[in-house]
Amino acid sequence: MTHLLVCDDSNMARKQLIRALPAEWPVTISQATNGQEALEAIRQGLGQVMLLDLTMPVLDGYQTLAALREEGLQTKVVVVSGDVQEEAVRRVKELGALAFLKKPADPEILRATLVELGLFDPKAEAPPSAPTQDQDALLDTLKVNFRDALREVTNVAMGRAAALLAKVLGVFVQLPVPQVNIFEVSELHMTLSDAQRGQRLSAACQGFIGDGIAGEALLLFHDSEVSDMARLLKWQPKDDNETSEMLLDLSSILIGACLSGIAEQIDVRFSQGHPMLLGQHASIERLIHLNQKRWKKTLAVEISYSLEGDHIHFDLLLLFTEDSIRRLTHKINYLLN
């Protein structure tokens, strides 16, 4: 019997992964919600094989792989992540991962990978007529709420957007755990103001709608970083108009890829408006004041992209209308059944 450890901070991701396992694979399954918990489990002999996420709090996947090597802990690691940058794949294999699978893991690809790595031999196992009661009970304990599910859907989508951005800019994009909150406009104002206190910003906005779900994507650029972005793009804007064009091009890449990733997972086709600049060289207070009638009460998904080796980051907010929440909930619940 193989001791399998599934390490991911999302209940939804762990549930999807456990469901994707070969039904006849005789494993005992342990779980960890971050790398620190995973290391503790492996030290106790609970992780002969580990399925490991990359984007996690406390200790992420890269740090976990490095710690395994440093401590000399023996476990066979398959990374399952939404961060599909080519550099991410290269780094995890360099750190000792045996394989990389993109989220959500396809059961057939997972099965083939486990067979190829010699971790699972279907000929040696007698297939049961149904999943074991233990696995059923384990899946029942994994309760997934709306925010956790939307966070995981966004996690996968932002990974695809990062891979596209990495190719365009020739950099490695560092990804956070996305944040999901429901705000009144006054709370959104305070949250953004606290995060961006004293900084001058330019902001691009792009509306989207599809299948009863609507909202706006807001991408914040820090003015102090625009020249560095231009350098990476090999662009030399001569005036504010050319700078605006550059920012709108970047907005189209990031917002379009992220919305496309969400739409694909929840089986929706979004129609997107043209991105437009809400303001240049403005304070966040001014941007909020100019647009507070649009946003009102909103479901906000916040993603902060950072570029490794450069003092550049983008803050992407997906602002769903209050009326969209019921339909979005229905679509996400469908993923879990």
Side-chain angles (χ1 to χ4, degrees):
M1 184 77 72
T2 299
H3 290 290
L4 174 68
L5 178 62
V6 180
C7 181
D8 197 299
D9 61 309
S10 164
N11 280 5
M12 177 176 172
R14 296 199 307 277
K15 194 166 192 172
Q16 287 177 324
L17 202 43
I18 292 168
R19 280 179 169 171
L21 296 173
E24 68 272 35
W25 192 21
V27 291
T28 57
I29 301 171
S30 301
Q31 300 178 67
T33 62
N34 57 62
Q36 185 171 296
E37 291 181 6
L39 291 172
E40 291 169 359
I42 291 166
R43 292 182 193 115
Q44 296 170 30
L46 298 176
Q48 293 170 293
V49 177
M50 176 164 59
L51 303 178
L52 177 68
D53 184 29
L54 292 180
T55 307
M56 298 180 291
V58 186
L59 210 62
D60 66 23
Y62 300 103
Q63 294 167 320
T64 304
L65 286 165
L68 287 172
R69 174 177 287 182
E70 186 177 333
E71 290 191 37
L73 295 171
Q74 299 302 308
T75 185
K76 296 172 182 177
V77 180
V78 174
V79 168
V80 185
S81 175
D83 184 355
V84 293
Q85 296 176 78
E86 291 179 4
E87 178 64 8
V89 178
R90 188 197 68 78
R91 288 185 183 190
V92 297
K93 289 188 175 179
E94 188 177 78
L95 285 167
L98 300 177
F100 182 103
L101 300 179
K102 69 177 183 179
K103 283 183 171 182
D106 180 282
E108 291 304 314
I109 295 175
L110 176 58
R111 181 188 185 90
T113 301
L114 294 171
V115 170
E116 182 183 342
L117 295 174
L119 302 176
F120 164 60
D121 182 359
K123 296 177 182 177
E125 322 298 349
S129 57
T132 64
Q133 185 61 43
D134 283 349
Q135 187 166 317
D136 283 340
L138 179 59
L139 289 170
D140 285 343
T141 65
L142 284 169
K143 304 300 181 186
V144 181
N145 61 37
F146 172 74
R147 289 189 184 186
D148 179 73
L150 181 57
R151 189 182 299 114
E152 180 58 20
V153 167
T154 305
N155 179 52
V156 172
M158 76 178 189
R160 296 179 190 181
L164 185 55
L165 185 64
K167 283 187 177 180
V168 170
L169 297 180
V171 295
F172 182 66
V173 182
Q174 296 172 317
L175 297 178
V177 178
Q179 301 298 313
V180 177
N181 294 288
I182 296 176
F183 288 118
E184 299 284 352
V185 68
S186 58
E187 295 173 306
L188 179 63
H189 182 173
M190 286 190 293
T191 299
L192 291 176
S193 296
D194 287 344
Q196 316 299 341
R197 189 173 302 281
Q199 300 187 45
R200 309 298 287 180
L201 305 168
S202 296
C205 186
Q206 187 168 10
F208 58 89
I209 188 168
D211 200 6
I213 300 170
E216 294 183 77
L218 178 66
L219 189 60
L220 302 177
F221 299 95
H222 300 255
D223 285 356
S224 61
E225 301 168 358
V226 168
S227 60
D228 288 330
M229 283 185 261
R231 173 180 51 79
L232 288 173
L233 285 165
K234 299 179 174 59
W235 194 321
Q236 294 180 329
K238 299 180 181 66
D239 52 32
D240 276 355
N241 286 336
E242 290 194 4
T243 299
S244 297
E245 186 180 345
M246 179 186 74
L247 296 182
L248 288 173
D249 283 352
L250 269 177
S251 298
S252 292
I253 292 168
L254 264 177
I255 294 172
C258 198
L259 287 176
S260 177
I262 291 173
E264 182 182 329
Q265 292 176 82
I266 64 175
D267 194 25
V268 169
R269 179 172 292 179
F270 285 130
S271 297
Q272 295 167 223
H274 293 291
M276 62 180 185
L277 285 179
L278 294 178
Q280 277 186 282
H281 320 307
S283 67
I284 193 65
E285 288 84 357
R286 179 67 177 159
L287 292 174
I288 291 286
H289 177 73
L290 291 172
N291 296 279
Q292 59 186 346
K293 289 184 179 178
R294 293 180 179 198
W295 297 332
K296 298 181 181 176
K297 187 171 183 176
T298 182
L299 169 66
V301 179
E302 182 183 357
I303 307 164
S304 294
Y305 293 94
S306 298
L307 306 187
E308 185 178 76
D310 288 277
H311 296 294
I312 300 175
H313 68 280
F314 313 101
D315 295 309
L316 175 60
L317 283 168
L318 301 178
L319 305 173
F320 295 90
T321 64
E322 188 177 4
D323 294 340
S324 300
I325 295 176
R326 179 177 293 181
R327 184 63 178 159
L328 193 56
T329 302
H330 172 77
K331 283 287 188 179
I332 285 177
N333 284 341
Y334 182 77
L335 284 176
L336 303 175
N337 298 324

